[in-house]
Amino acid sequence: MKIAFVGKGGSGKTTLSSLFIRHLAAARVPVVAVDADINQHLGAALGLDEAAAAALPAMGAHLPLIKDYLRGSNPRIPSAEAMIKTTPPGEGSRLLRIDEDNPVYDACARTVTLDGTPVRLMATGPFTASDLGVACYHSKVGAVELCLNHLVDGREEYVVVDMTAGSDSFASGMFTRFDMTFLVAEPTRKGVGVYRQYKEYARDFGVPLKVVGNKVQGPDDLAFLRDEVGEDLLVSVGHSEWVRTLEKGRPARFAYLEQANRRALETLHDTADASYGRRDWERYTRQMVHFHLKNAESWGNARTGVDLAAQVDPAFVLFEGAAAPQPA
């Protein structure tokens, strides 16, 4: 299951995504955690110290390796240089699975142990001033999008992505890659502003979306969120002394998280699990191709010097039982 956490900056989406990852780990569910935010804080939220978080390998720095591995023997892709972030898989492509060993994980993932359970953690890498200029920092998350395009995952297998804040999540087709998107919203006008933007985009592409109210301090806050987001409000989370203790560098066992917040995480898990029955791999593949052709026409063909539309395998549909990856 592919799960995204989105929201405005400061909404608490990184905290909520880290709590959900810990919840899954406590349930002994295989998890790959991905920090795709412009501000790289997921590692620290999962308990890494500053040095360990800074030492996480950058997926963007390993993009040539990722491309070369994923293209496999696909005859429509003559070289890794001809791939862009939206290149879809086809016959001969190598696919990724959550609970496996492969060169992509070897290069880009590090293991974080949460209450005795190993979790793979990946990160786009730190952003620099140059990334915010002409180069555009969205190129950094291209490695994440490419991996998601080639991922086949099943029930009770999770990729949890902490997305970049605000409407920047719509800068590519990556927002359509998820089985469920949890939008973290504070009970303020600004807090629900991103929700309205996301709802509009999600509606056009059939993206499942639920709102997680955060920093909810009483009935008035809860009523405000219900008035603003209606039935999309799934659950609310209040103050957490457990989180405050973690942020002070004195983490307690996850079992000591407040019961109300544990119940909220169980609701997220149940909701994500229920989305499995609504999976439509054909639509998923069509959306992948749609954004690839759009990017090819707008900038990809000119940048690579090839016709990227030729990379589309019209007979290929990604699905859970797809053939196992070829040996590296």
Side-chain angles (χ1 to χ4, degrees):
M1 307 296 290
K2 295 176 283 289
I3 309 299
F5 280 81
V6 301
K8 81 172 188 65
S11 65
K13 66 179 181 61
T14 297
T15 298
L16 264 296
S17 60
S18 69
L19 289 176
F20 187 60
I21 291 164
R22 288 177 183 274
H23 165 83
L24 295 173
R28 302 295 188 264
V29 175
V31 185
V32 174
V34 182
D35 191 344
D37 195 356
I38 186 173
N39 297 306
Q40 303 269 281
H41 296 314
L42 184 59
L46 291 174
L48 295 184
D49 60 29
E50 186 174 338
L56 289 171
M59 293 180 71
H62 293 283
L63 190 54
L65 178 151
I66 294 171
K67 289 181 176 180
D68 194 55
Y69 178 75
L70 295 179
R71 76 183 181 94
S73 60
N74 188 334
R76 296 174 179 273
I77 307 174
S79 69
E81 290 75 18
M83 296 177 74
I84 62 174
K85 64 182 181 177
T86 51
T87 294
E91 188 68 31
S93 296
R94 291 193 182 101
L95 306 176
L96 300 175
R97 284 170 173 77
I98 290 173
D99 199 13
E100 69 171 5
D101 295 320
N102 59 54
V104 174
Y105 291 155
D106 290 344
C108 302
R110 294 297 178 264
T111 299
V112 178
T113 302
L114 302 174
D115 281 335
T117 300
V119 170
R120 280 185 170 126
L121 173 61
M122 305 171 76
T124 58
F127 294 90
T128 65
S130 62
D131 293 318
L132 301 178
V134 176
C136 181
Y137 71 83
H138 296 297
S139 63
K140 288 281 183 109
V141 300
V144 180
E145 186 167 359
L146 197 58
C147 287
L148 290 176
N149 280 356
H150 289 74
L151 178 70
V152 284
D153 53 310
R155 193 170 209 157
E156 289 300 290
E157 294 181 323
Y158 279 84
V159 173
V160 179
V161 183
D162 181 15
M163 295 279 281
T164 191
S167 58
D168 287 336
S169 298
F170 312 125
S172 73
M174 194 163 76
F175 77 98
T176 66
R177 302 295 83 201
F178 300 101
D179 295 287
M180 178 58 62
T181 295
F182 292 126
L183 189 146
V184 181
E186 301 169 85
T188 64
R189 292 173 65 88
K190 289 183 179 180
V192 299
V194 173
Y195 160 77
R196 295 195 181 93
Q197 292 177 301
Y198 223 107
K199 180 72 172 178
E200 183 177 347
Y201 279 90
R203 183 186 301 112
D204 291 340
F205 291 92
V207 176
L209 174 68
K210 289 294 181 182
V211 174
V212 181
N214 193 30
K215 305 178 186 178
V216 174
Q217 297 182 6
D220 287 345
D221 286 347
L222 191 58
F224 173 82
L225 286 173
R226 283 176 174 157
D227 287 344
E228 295 294 326
V229 309
E231 294 182 354
D232 284 339
L233 180 62
L234 177 65
V235 71
S236 63
V237 178
H239 174 78
S240 173
E241 283 296 330
W242 189 94
V243 171
R244 284 182 61 84
T245 300
L246 175 68
E247 291 173 343
K248 292 175 182 176
R250 300 196 296 267
R253 289 185 59 203
F254 185 66
Y256 297 147
L257 181 70
E258 299 85 1
Q259 187 175 14
N261 289 332
R262 289 182 66 87
R263 285 197 300 267
L265 294 173
E266 290 169 359
T267 300
L268 298 187
H269 192 174
D270 291 343
T271 302
D273 184 67
S275 70
Y276 179 84
R278 298 189 294 273
R279 277 189 160 189
D280 184 341
W281 286 100
E282 289 189 0
R283 184 181 69 179
Y284 185 84
T285 304
R286 285 198 307 271
Q287 289 176 342
M288 191 188 311
V289 169
H290 167 80
F291 282 101
H292 179 64
L293 295 178
K294 183 178 179 180
N295 283 341
E297 183 177 354
S298 63
W299 59 268
N301 290 342
R303 183 172 300 179
T304 62
V306 298
D307 179 12
L308 296 177
Q311 294 179 348
V312 176
D313 184 342
F316 184 85
V317 175
L318 191 68
F319 67 103
E320 189 174 331
Q326 305 168 17

